[in-house]
Amino acid sequence: MNAFVAKLQSYVDLTAADRRALAAATERTRQVGPRQSVIDEGDEPNAVTVILEGWACRYKHLKDGRRQILSFLLPGDMCEPSVFLLRHVAHSMATLTPVTLARMSEETVRGLMNRSQAISDAFNYDMLIDTEIQREWTVSIGQRTSAERLAHLFCEILERLSIAGLIAGPEYDMPVTQIDLADALGMSGVHTNRTLQEMRRVGLVSLRGRHLRVHDLQGLQRLALFNPRYLHRQR
Amino acid sequence: MNAFVAKLQSYVDLTAADRRALAAATERTRQVGPRQSVIDEGDEPNAVTVILEGWACRYKHLKDGRRQILSFLLPGDMCEPSVFLLRHVAHSMATLTPVTLARMSEETVRGLMNRSQAISDAFNYDMLIDTEIQREWTVSIGQRTSAERLAHLFCEILERLSIAGLIAGPEYDMPVTQIDLADALGMSGVHTNRTLQEMRRVGLVSLRGRHLRVHDLQGLQRLALFNPRYLHRQR
DNA sequence: CGGCTCCTTGAGCCCAGTCAAAGTCCGTGG
DNA sequence: CCACGGACTTTGACTGGGCTCAAGGAGCCG
């Protein structure tokens, strides 16, 4: 069972047939190297993309070069399940690591949703959580200080990886540069660097060699004003 | 035909029967005064809320009192059509003006979506656009300067009101305080005030007595780096 | 007319941005 | 095995956009 089916299963009760149908729909995979574009702003969306392995991100570029990363996509994540309703997408997507992805055509997605209410619900649930995450990013960037923002992002990803069953302890590979972090959190690279050093100094987390270790989870969550309820972990 | 049906109709082709079903589902309305809470963080969502008249907003409070407004809800806007899948909501909603709203039960929504693929698509389309707006807010708060942010918000709402057929010219009532604006844009009230004055001074817009007048739409859009495509206006 | 709420203004400060240079790490090819 | 180059991280110095605190004005409603 791939990460995608596993995640959907954590949302709702899927029958064995549902799981088989989902697995079949994401059977044909494609390998993409790191730092490759997957979807470009303006593209016509003809398929729903699913990340099976690796990290990717959504982002937007402003004309003058400023970039905002909108979200990190982890194994099991999908783009909007009804994206094919749009004439064009308004943001881009690129890989961060080598990625294994699958694409489901509109026909496939509609077939899955018509066949099974549970699958339909699971897709909608996933979309809801994706939106919740986006809203929490708005809160972070709008209200949280730089240290709180970094802390919150680390907490979010820890929780998401944990929900997906991809990690056990309080550490994970975080395959992004400090500039990526900066562009995700709406701060400068230099300031991101200094804030990370400060968090390291006070013993909250250390991020070295693209690996994040959380030394004081409670302290990190307290600093971040992190409340995991918005991620709607089940059971 | 209420604002809600009108908006959905602008997304997809609805049959007369679809329109009647949607109108019937939003027939029973409720009046809510200005500055009233509609949904509180943690509530169990038992219905889909639709704004028929007036303005409302989504927001989140942090424990220490900081507030981030996540979006403004205009006539015709609805909350997430599949919100009833969640055990609890992670944000609050409150009115800004007197509001007429309708509530559709889970049963009603599922009935509508099962009955008509067009309605189902329209709901999903609306949710997609809601997410697009949220993403653009992330970009604004993360990357745009204070003047650009204000300009972008004014452009967004102008375009949304225009899409909904609620205005003709480049002006509209904007029933929010400067503090509300500040909390929406992640800036302080004082700085919002000064930035508004500067925009007035250079002749872009004037916001007085809760009424916004755009004096130089092109200039405003240029300043905002505004590209309306993310709102997916049809035809 | 009194008392809200909201808007406006001034002064001072600091968080975070920019610019620029140096240091570190790592993969590649000689 | 080492030298080189490129990408990324770290540091220092300086600047400035935007925040806070605080007080005064304006508008509105009972």
Side-chain angles (χ1 to χ4, degrees):
Chain A
M1 186 166 59
N2 66 41
F4 176 58
V5 183
K7 193 174 72 156
L8 295 182
Q9 169 140 276
S10 82
Y11 296 153
V12 299
D13 286 322
L14 296 174
T15 65
D18 289 339
R19 289 196 296 275
R20 273 196 304 276
L22 287 166
T26 51
E27 207 166 33
R28 293 175 46 136
T29 63
R30 203 176 104 203
Q31 308 295 323
V32 182
R35 303 278 163 179
Q36 299 295 307
S37 164
V38 176
I39 295 172
D40 282 317
E41 185 170 343
D43 282 357
E44 190 181 339
N46 48 21
V48 173
T49 304
V50 179
I51 310 284
L52 297 174
E53 289 168 31
W55 283 41
C57 68
R58 295 192 184 96
Y59 63 93
K60 281 198 192 197
H61 265 126
L62 296 184
K63 284 197 243 304
D64 62 5
R66 282 176 276 179
R67 176 179 71 143
Q68 176 67 43
I69 291 183
L70 298 167
S71 51
F72 291 112
L73 298 166
L74 314 181
D77 284 344
M78 70 193 298
C79 74
E80 308 82 345
S82 46
V83 69
F84 47 74
L85 293 173
L86 300 175
R87 300 256 177 80
H88 55 87
V89 295
H91 61 267
S92 305
M93 188 193 299
T95 60
L96 294 164
T97 64
V99 160
T100 305
L101 57 81
R103 291 176 165 277
M104 301 187 290
S105 69
E106 170 173 358
E107 200 180 17
T108 301
V109 174
R110 286 198 189 272
L112 287 167
M113 294 184 79
N114 286 333
R115 154 130 54 132
S116 156
Q117 183 68 56
I119 290 178
S120 176
D121 283 354
F123 281 0
N124 284 322
Y125 197 92
D126 194 72
M127 174 87 191
L128 284 170
I129 291 180
D130 196 61
T131 301
E132 292 279 28
I133 293 171
Q134 197 70 52
R135 289 186 180 136
E136 198 62 44
W137 278 43
T138 306
V139 175
S140 270
I141 301 176
Q143 301 299 326
R144 290 187 171 93
T145 65
S146 55
E148 292 168 355
R149 266 182 244 185
L150 267 166
H152 198 278
L153 179 63
F154 294 152
C155 288
E156 173 201 309
I157 293 180
L158 184 67
E159 180 76 3
R160 286 169 62 194
L161 289 172
S162 162
I163 289 175
L166 295 169
I167 52 168
E171 59 177 285
Y172 51 88
D173 288 327
M174 180 131 203
V176 302
T177 68
Q178 293 186 0
I179 298 298
D180 294 330
L181 278 179
D183 286 349
L185 300 174
M187 43 203 267
S188 72
V190 171
H191 192 56
T192 302
N193 180 277
R194 290 197 229 267
T195 307
L196 279 171
Q197 284 176 58
E198 177 63 13
M199 293 175 75
R200 201 149 57 204
R201 198 186 61 74
V202 301
L204 284 173
V205 302
S206 54
L207 177 58
R208 307 223 74 135
R210 310 277 160 98
H211 188 82
L212 183 85
R213 256 180 246 280
V214 178
H215 302 303
D216 175 3
L217 180 56
Q218 288 224 335
L220 191 71
Q221 294 181 336
R222 208 172 323 118
L223 170 62
L225 298 155
F226 180 76
N227 179 343
R229 294 193 72 191
Y230 78 97
L231 290 169
H232 297 275
R233 177 176 220 151
Q234 307 271 38
R235 28 186 167 261
Chain B
M1 187 165 59
N2 65 42
F4 176 58
V5 183
K7 194 175 71 156
L8 294 183
Q9 168 141 273
S10 83
Y11 295 153
V12 298
D13 287 322
L14 296 174
T15 66
D18 289 338
R19 290 196 295 274
R20 274 196 304 276
L22 286 166
T26 53
E27 208 165 31
R28 292 174 47 134
T29 63
R30 203 176 105 203
Q31 309 295 321
V32 182
R35 302 280 163 179
Q36 298 294 306
S37 164
V38 176
I39 294 171
D40 282 316
E41 185 170 341
D43 282 358
E44 190 181 339
N46 47 23
V48 172
T49 303
V50 179
I51 310 283
L52 297 175
E53 290 169 29
W55 282 40
C57 69
R58 294 194 185 96
Y59 63 94
K60 281 197 192 197
H61 266 125
L62 296 184
K63 286 196 244 303
D64 63 4
R66 281 176 276 177
R67 177 179 71 144
Q68 176 67 43
I69 290 183
L70 297 166
S71 50
F72 291 113
L73 298 166
L74 313 181
D77 283 345
M78 70 194 299
C79 75
E80 308 82 345
S82 46
V83 69
F84 47 74
L85 292 173
L86 299 176
R87 301 254 177 82
H88 55 86
V89 295
H91 60 267
S92 305
M93 188 193 299
T95 61
L96 294 165
T97 65
V99 160
T100 304
L101 58 81
R103 290 175 164 280
M104 300 188 290
S105 68
E106 170 173 357
E107 201 181 14
T108 301
V109 175
R110 286 200 190 271
L112 286 166
M113 293 183 80
N114 285 332
R115 155 130 54 132
S116 156
Q117 183 67 56
I119 290 178
S120 176
D121 283 354
F123 282 180
N124 284 323
Y125 197 91
D126 194 72
M127 174 89 191
L128 284 170
I129 291 180
D130 197 61
T131 300
E132 292 278 28
I133 293 171
Q134 197 69 53
R135 288 186 180 135
E136 197 62 43
W137 278 43
T138 306
V139 175
S140 271
I141 301 177
Q143 301 299 326
R144 291 186 171 93
T145 65
S146 55
E148 292 168 355
R149 268 182 242 187
L150 267 165
H152 198 277
L153 179 63
F154 294 151
C155 289
E156 173 202 310
I157 294 181
L158 183 68
E159 180 77 4
R160 286 170 62 194
L161 289 172
S162 162
I163 289 175
L166 295 169
I167 52 168
E171 59 178 286
Y172 51 89
D173 288 326
M174 180 131 204
V176 302
T177 67
Q178 293 185 359
I179 300 297
D180 293 331
L181 279 179
D183 286 348
L185 299 175
M187 43 203 267
S188 72
V190 171
H191 192 57
T192 302
N193 179 277
R194 291 196 229 266
T195 307
L196 280 170
Q197 285 177 57
E198 177 63 14
M199 292 176 75
R200 202 149 57 205
R201 197 186 64 72
V202 301
L204 284 173
V205 301
S206 54
L207 176 59
R208 307 223 76 137
R210 311 276 161 98
H211 189 84
L212 183 86
R213 254 181 248 280
V214 179
H215 302 303
D216 176 3
L217 180 56
Q218 288 225 337
L220 191 70
Q221 293 181 336
R222 207 172 324 117
L223 170 61
L225 298 155
F226 180 76
N227 179 343
R229 294 193 73 192
Y230 78 98
L231 291 169
H232 298 276
R233 177 175 220 152
Q234 306 270 38
R235 25 185 168 262

